[in-house]
C-alpha cells in the first residue's frame, strides 16, 4: 500500500539547514507544524528574533497529513462545552476559533499567498435518528455561542441524512501552501529555521537553553514547545491526553459531484469529507475516518473500509492518495495553550487540539505571541494548561490511566499474531519474546530481518505494528518509530535500541553501542 500525502506532493517546499553550533534569539520555537510556525510568524512580525527547530521537515508532520478544514464547527463541541463548562466558555471557544479562521484569510491576502482558500459551509451530520437529536442540540448550542449555525434536515451530500448542523463562514485550504508562504515571509524578516534538528533537552534558566541531539544549542528568553505531543512534560500533561490516529484516502471525482462543503459525523468510527482543487477541472475527494489507538493493529483493514465507503457513497473508484494523521484529546476536550507548567515563567506549550489543528494551531500562535508580549486574550484561562477541573476530568483521567496501565502490563504478557521470526512473511512485523526480551521484528520485502527493542523509549510501554504504514507505534502516548527504530513522532526523542539477528534471523544482543535505557526520554533521564 503506497502512502503519500497530497499536501506534501503538491507543495514540496525548499530545505532548511540543520542547526550547527550555538544561536541566540529572543524566542525559540520547538516544532515546525502549524502551531509552531503560526507562533513564529506572529512573533517575527512583532519585531522579535525567532528560531524554529524542527525534528524532521517543517510543515510535513501532522500538519502535512491533516484534512485541512479551517472551521470553528468542531463536531459536537458546543453542546458538551456548554453543559460542562458553561455558556461563556462555549462563546469564548467559538470566538477564538472563528478569529483564527478569519486570521488565515487576512494573512494570506496580506502576504499574497495562494493557498487554495475556498469559503464553504461546514456540516456536522447524522444518519441515525438518535444522533440527529445530538446534532439538533449542537446546532442550538453553536448558535448560542455566536456562530451562524442552523439545524437542517437535508445536505448537499449524495445520500440522505437525518439532520445536520450547518455553519456559514468557514473555509478549506491547502495547509502546506499557506505555511510555506509564512516561512518565506518570516525568513525574509530575519527568522531562523532549522530542519532535522531534534531538540532533546530544555533548561529553563535565565535565559532558557535548548540542546539538540547533535549537541547544538539555542539560547532564548522564551521557549515554545509546539511538538504536537509535548516532548518535555514537566506538568504531567501526558496523564491528561489521549492519542488517536485517523486514516485518509483521496480520489479524483468530477467537479459536478463535489458536495460543496465540509462534512463530518461521529458515526461509523468518524467520517469526514471535503474536496480540494485537482487537475483537469476535477476535484479531489478527501475522506478521513476509522479512528483508532496507535499500536492497536488492523490499519490495513481500516483503510479498506474507508475506501469502500468512499466508493459506495461518492463513486470514488480510484484512490490516488493515502495517508494518516495523529491527534491528541485532552481529558476536558480543550487544548492546552499557555505556560508549560505551574512554575514556568518563560516556557510555553501548545497541544491537545483534538483533531482540529488548523484553527487551534493558528489560535495558539495568536495567543502565545500575546502572552510572550505581556498581553492577554479573553480566552487565555480557557486554554491555560495549568487548569484542572477534578469533577469534569476525574472520570476521563482514570479511564485513560487504566488504559495505559493495561498496555504497560498486558502487552508484556500477551502473545503476538505469530510465534517466531520464521512465521513472518514479507512486509510483516510482530512483537516477539526472544531471549527473555520483547523484540519488535520486521521482515522487509526482500526477506531481510529488522529487529529493535519493543520497549518505547518514552515511558516504557510495548509498541505495536502498523501494517499499513510499516511503523512501530506506542499505544500509551503515541510515539511512532520506523522499522529501524528511528523516531518518526514524539513524545519519544530517542530511537528504539537496534538488535542484531543471528544466522536464523532471530533477534539477538543489543547492537546499539550508545543510547539511553529502554525507558525514559533523554530529557527525563537528564533531569
Amino acid at each position: 500500500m503506497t502512502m503519500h500525502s497530497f499536501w506534501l506532493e503538491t507543495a514540496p517546499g525548499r530545505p532548511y539547514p540543520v542547526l550547527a553550533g550555538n544561536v541566540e534569539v529572543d524566542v525559540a520555537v520547538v516544532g515546525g507544524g502549524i502551531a509552531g510556525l503560526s507562533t513564529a510568524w506572529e512573533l517575527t512580525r512583532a519585531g522579535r528574533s525567532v528560531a524554529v527547530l524542527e525534528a524532521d521537515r517543517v510543515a510535513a508532520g501532522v500538519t502535512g497529513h491533516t484534512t485541512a478544514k479551517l472551521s470553528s464547527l468542531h463536531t459536537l463541541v458546543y453542546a458538551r462545552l456548554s453543559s460542562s463548562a458553561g455558556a461563556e466558555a462555549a462563546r469564548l471557544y467559538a470566538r477564538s476559533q472563528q478569529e483564527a479562521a478569519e486570521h488565515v484569510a487576512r494573512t494570506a491576502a496580506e502576504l499574497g499567498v495562494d493557498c487554495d482558500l475556498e469559503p464553504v459551509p461546514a456540516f456536522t451530520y447524522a444518519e441515525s435518528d438518535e444522533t440527529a437529536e445530538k446534532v439538533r442540540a449542537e446546532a442550538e448550542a453553536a448558535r448560542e455561542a455566536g456562530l451562524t449555525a442552523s439545524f437542517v434536515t437535508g445536505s448537499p451530500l449524495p445520500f440522505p441524512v437525518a439532520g445536520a448542523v450547518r455553519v456559514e463562514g468557514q473555509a478549506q485550504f491547502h495547509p502546506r501552501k499557506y505555511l510555506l508562504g509564512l516561512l518565506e515571509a518570516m525568513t525574509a524578516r530575519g527568522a531562523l529555521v532549522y530542519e532535522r534538528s531534534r531538540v532533546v533537552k530544555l533548561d529553563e534558566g535565565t535565559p532558557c537553553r535548548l540542546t539538540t541531539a547533535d549537541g547544538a544549542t539555542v539560547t532564548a528568553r522564551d521557549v515554545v514547545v509546539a511538538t504536537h505531543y509535548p516532548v518535555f512534560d514537566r506538568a504531567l500533561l501526558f496523564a491528561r491526553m489521549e492519542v488517536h490516529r485517523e486514516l485518509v484516502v483521496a480520489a479524483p471525482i468530477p467537479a459536478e459531484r463535489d458536495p460543496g462543503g465540509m462534512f463530518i459525523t461521529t458515526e461509523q468510527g468518524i467520517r469526514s469529507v471535503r474536496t480540494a482543487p485537482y487537475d483537469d477541472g476535477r476535484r479531489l475527494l478527501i475522506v478521513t475516518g476509522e479512528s483508532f489507538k496507535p499500536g492497536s493493529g488492523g490499519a490495513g483493514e481500516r483503510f479498506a473500509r474507508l475506501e469502500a465507503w468512499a466508493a459506495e457513497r461518492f463513486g470514488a473508484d480510484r484512490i490516488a492518495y493515502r495517508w494518516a494523521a495523529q491527534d491528541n484529546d485532552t481529558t476536558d476536550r480543550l487544548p492546552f495553550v499557555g505556560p508549560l507548567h505551574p512554575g514556568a515563567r518563560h516556557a510555553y506549550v501548545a497541544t491537545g487540539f483534538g483533531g482540529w489543528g488548523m484553527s487551534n494551531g493558528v489560535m495558539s500562535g495568536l495567543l502565545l505571541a500575546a502572552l510572550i508580549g505581556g498581553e492577554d486574550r479573553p480566552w487565555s484561562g480557557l486554554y491555560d494548561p495549568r487548569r484542572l477541573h477534578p469533577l469534569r476530568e476525574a472520570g476521563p483521567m482514570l479511564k485513560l490511566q487504566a488504559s495505559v496501565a493495561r498496555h504497560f502490563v498486558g502487552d508484556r504478557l500477551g502473545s503476538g499474531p505469530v510465534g517466531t521470526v520464521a512465521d513472518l512473511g514479507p512486509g510483516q512485523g510482530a512483537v516477539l519474546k526472544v531471549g527473555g526480551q520483547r523484540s519488535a521484528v520486521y521482515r522487509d520485502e526482500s526477506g531481510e530481518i529488522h529487529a529493535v527493542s519493543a520497549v518505547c523509549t518514552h515511558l516504557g510501554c510495548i509498541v505495536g505494528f502498523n501494517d499499513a504504514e510499516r511503523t512501530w507505534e506506542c499505544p500509551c502516548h503515541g510515539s511512532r518509530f520506523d522499522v529501524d527504530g528511528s523516531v518518526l513522532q514524539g513524545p519519544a526523542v530517542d530511537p528504539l535500541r537496534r538488535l542484531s539477528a543471528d544466522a536464523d534471523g532471530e533477534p539477538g544482543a543489543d547492537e546499539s553501542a550508545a543510547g539511553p535505557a529502554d525507558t525514559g526520554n533523554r530529557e527525563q533521564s537528564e533531569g
Side-chain angles (χ1 to χ4, degrees), residues 52-312:
V52 176
L53 296 96
E54 165 58 40
D56 193 11
R57 298 292 309 279
V58 290
V62 175
T63 297
H65 295 81
T66 178
T67 309
K69 293 178 175 179
L70 199 55
S71 174
S72 52
L73 179 63
H74 297 172
T75 318
L76 301 174
V77 66
Y78 293 103
R80 185 190 68 246
L81 193 54
S82 296
S83 174
S84 64
E88 180 61 17
R91 283 192 288 270
L92 290 173
Y93 186 88
R95 283 179 57 197
S96 65
Q97 300 299 318
Q98 192 63 31
E99 177 188 282
E102 293 169 357
H103 186 72
V104 170
R106 289 194 302 269
T107 303
E110 173 191 333
L111 299 178
V113 176
D114 182 1
C115 57
D116 299 334
L117 187 70
E118 299 176 314
V120 290
F123 297 81
T124 296
Y125 72 91
E127 294 186 65
S128 69
D129 291 337
E130 180 182 357
T131 306
E133 288 307 307
K134 297 179 182 178
V135 167
R136 185 187 295 274
E138 178 67 9
E140 182 178 350
R143 185 169 56 251
E144 291 179 353
L147 300 182
T148 54
S150 59
F151 178 77
V152 296
T153 54
S155 81
L157 291 167
F159 51 86
V161 301
V165 186
R166 176 176 178 137
V167 174
E168 307 296 338
Q170 311 302 290
Q172 55 194 18
F173 74 139
H174 193 304
R176 284 274 297 177
K177 290 181 178 179
Y178 174 73
L179 292 174
L180 293 178
L182 284 194
L183 281 162
E184 292 300 323
M186 73 175 72
T187 53
R189 290 165 168 80
L192 305 174
V193 178
Y194 300 101
E195 294 183 324
R196 308 196 191 284
S197 303
R198 185 179 298 279
V199 175
V200 297
K201 185 177 180 181
L202 165 61
D203 177 1
E204 293 184 52
T206 307
C208 299
R209 184 184 178 92
L210 294 167
T211 306
T212 71
D214 295 330
T217 64
V218 175
T219 302
R221 180 182 184 274
D222 297 289
V223 169
V224 172
V225 180
T227 54
H228 189 64
Y229 198 113
V231 292
F232 307 121
D233 198 8
R234 298 170 183 183
L236 299 181
L237 295 182
F238 68 83
R240 301 166 63 196
M241 292 172 58
E242 184 172 15
V243 184
H244 66 274
R245 196 155 181 80
E246 290 181 351
L247 307 180
V248 186
V249 297
I253 59 173
E256 58 270 20
R257 296 221 302 265
D258 181 2
M262 302 180 294
F263 307 85
I264 190 168
T265 180
T266 58
E267 297 172 331
Q268 304 173 69
I270 303 294
R271 290 292 183 267
S272 170
V273 175
R274 62 154 290 189
T275 66
Y278 201 58
D279 59 8
D280 299 328
R282 295 179 294 173
R283 302 287 295 183
L284 187 72
L285 176 75
I286 301 173
V287 179
T288 306
E290 294 295 320
S291 181
F292 66 101
K293 182 182 288 292
S296 60
E301 296 177 2
R302 292 184 174 94
F303 264 116
R305 287 197 294 268
L306 200 61
E307 291 174 14
W309 189 87
E312 175 193 349

